[in-house]
């Protein structure tokens, strides 16, 4: 095989691997997706619990751990087990909250588009636990 054929094969293999990965989120687009969440959730400096808990620092945070929020029994159980919101778990949850985690109080139907979830996760990931920007 000549060098051109090897280079082409490696390029094609790399492109296929890149397509298989989850799309990287765009925080600017995620800010727009978050508008669907704002009626129930807050994020940023001074964010307070609403119908849902504030979401500062959610990725890497222990589930059901925001002080003063009355979580569902389901999330209280996850909290007791020490479960943490990872990007993967959050994405699956946001796709269909009640389907992924039966018993949660969240009435939102979900975000079926993977790109919307990735963008939202990227946006939420720009906030530290105290609401300041990273």
């Amino acid at each position: 095989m000549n060098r051109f054929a090897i280079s082409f094969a490696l390029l094609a293999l790399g492109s296929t691997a890149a397509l298989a990965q989850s799309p990287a989120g765009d925080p600017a687009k995620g800010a727009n997706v978050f508008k669907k969440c704002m009626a129930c959730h807050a994020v940023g400096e001074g964010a307070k619990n609403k119908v849902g808990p504030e979401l500062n620092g959610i990725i890497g945070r222990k589930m059901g751990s925001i002080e003063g929020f009355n979580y569902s029994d389901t999330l209280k159980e996850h909290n007791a087990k020490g479960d943490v919101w990872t990007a993967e778990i959050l994405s699956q949850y946001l796709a269909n909250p009640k389907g992924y985690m039966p018993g949660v109080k969240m009435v939102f139907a979900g975000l079926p588009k993977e790109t919307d979830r990735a963008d939202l996760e990227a946006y939420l990931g720009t906030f530290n636990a105290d609401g300041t920007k990273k």
Side-chain angles (χ1 to χ4, degrees):
M1 194 181 283
N2 66 31
R3 287 183 8 205
F4 175 75
I6 293 171
S7 296
F8 181 77
L10 289 173
L11 179 62
L13 181 62
S15 297
T16 302
L19 289 174
Q21 296 175 352
S22 295
D26 180 336
K29 289 179 182 176
N32 194 45
V33 175
F34 186 72
K35 290 177 183 176
K36 297 177 182 181
C37 312
M38 290 175 65
C40 298
H41 296 280
V43 68
E45 292 186 58
K48 303 280 185 222
N49 294 332
K50 295 181 174 184
V51 173
E54 57 90 351
L55 299 177
N56 290 326
I58 189 162
I59 297 172
R61 182 171 83 194
K62 189 175 174 185
M63 292 181 186
S65 63
I66 293 297
E67 198 67 35
F69 187 79
N70 185 23
Y71 288 96
S72 65
D73 289 342
T74 299
L75 279 168
K76 288 176 185 177
E77 290 169 14
H78 282 283
N79 178 281
K81 292 190 289 184
D83 292 342
V84 171
W85 288 111
T86 64
E88 181 181 326
I89 290 171
L90 186 59
S91 180
Q92 292 174 25
Y93 177 77
L94 290 172
N96 180 357
K98 287 188 180 277
Y100 182 72
M101 215 177 271
V104 295
K105 294 178 183 179
M106 192 155 114
V107 296
F108 183 66
L111 296 170
K113 292 183 182 175
E114 184 178 359
T115 54
D116 285 348
R117 295 191 309 272
D119 292 341
L120 179 59
E121 291 161 23
Y123 173 68
L124 293 174
T126 65
F127 294 95
N128 292 307
D130 65 0
T132 57
K133 288 285 212 165
K134 291 183 178 179

